[in-house]
Amino acid sequence: MKKSVSKHTGSDFEDFLAEEGLLDDANAVAIKRVLAWQIQNEMKNQHINKTNMAKRMQTSRSSLDRLLDEHDTSLTLSTLTSAAQALGKKVKIELVEAV
């Protein structure tokens, strides 16, 4: 079965972002949103509030707020590892083929 292609269909959104020079930033924000969500979700599951989480990480509450800010992409691996350890987790990062 053949798919019909509309003459009005353009490139996809990723192509647009790449053309505008915004793709890398958009990907960084998307990754940070997922990480922040995972950390917040695990904190909720373990009944850990922000103050206790900051103490477990041996950092300030404002530093934790930056970690959980989905738009602040200046996350260090050290901070991410510290958050994971505070939650009894570990970080797994891998490179995959670009599509």
Side-chain angles (χ1 to χ4, degrees):
M1 184 174 188
K2 226 178 187 183
K3 253 178 133 176
S4 66
V5 177
S6 169
K7 68 178 181 175
H8 301 292
T9 302
S11 59
D12 65 15
F13 190 59
E14 280 192 8
D15 291 339
F16 168 76
L17 290 174
E19 288 171 11
E20 297 296 314
L22 302 172
L23 184 59
D24 290 340
D25 288 339
N27 282 332
V29 169
I31 291 167
K32 180 62 184 295
R33 281 184 177 178
V34 170
L35 289 170
W37 176 82
Q38 287 178 326
I39 292 167
Q40 288 173 326
N41 193 48
E42 193 60 36
M43 287 171 59
K44 182 180 176 183
N45 290 341
Q46 294 185 29
H47 307 289
I48 301 169
N49 63 28
K50 286 183 178 181
T51 302
N52 289 334
M53 181 67 174
K55 285 179 185 174
R56 287 181 178 200
M57 292 176 61
Q58 299 179 340
T59 191
S60 67
R61 170 85 187 266
S62 60
S63 179
L64 177 61
D65 286 336
R66 284 190 299 275
L67 170 65
L68 298 176
D69 179 355
E70 60 188 33
H71 297 288
D72 184 351
T73 58
S74 63
L75 173 66
T76 66
L77 292 177
S78 176
T79 301
L80 181 57
T81 301
S82 177
Q85 288 175 344
L87 294 167
K89 304 290 181 180
K90 67 179 186 174
V91 176
K92 178 182 176 184
I93 299 174
E94 65 180 315
L95 295 177
V96 296
E97 291 298 322
V99 185

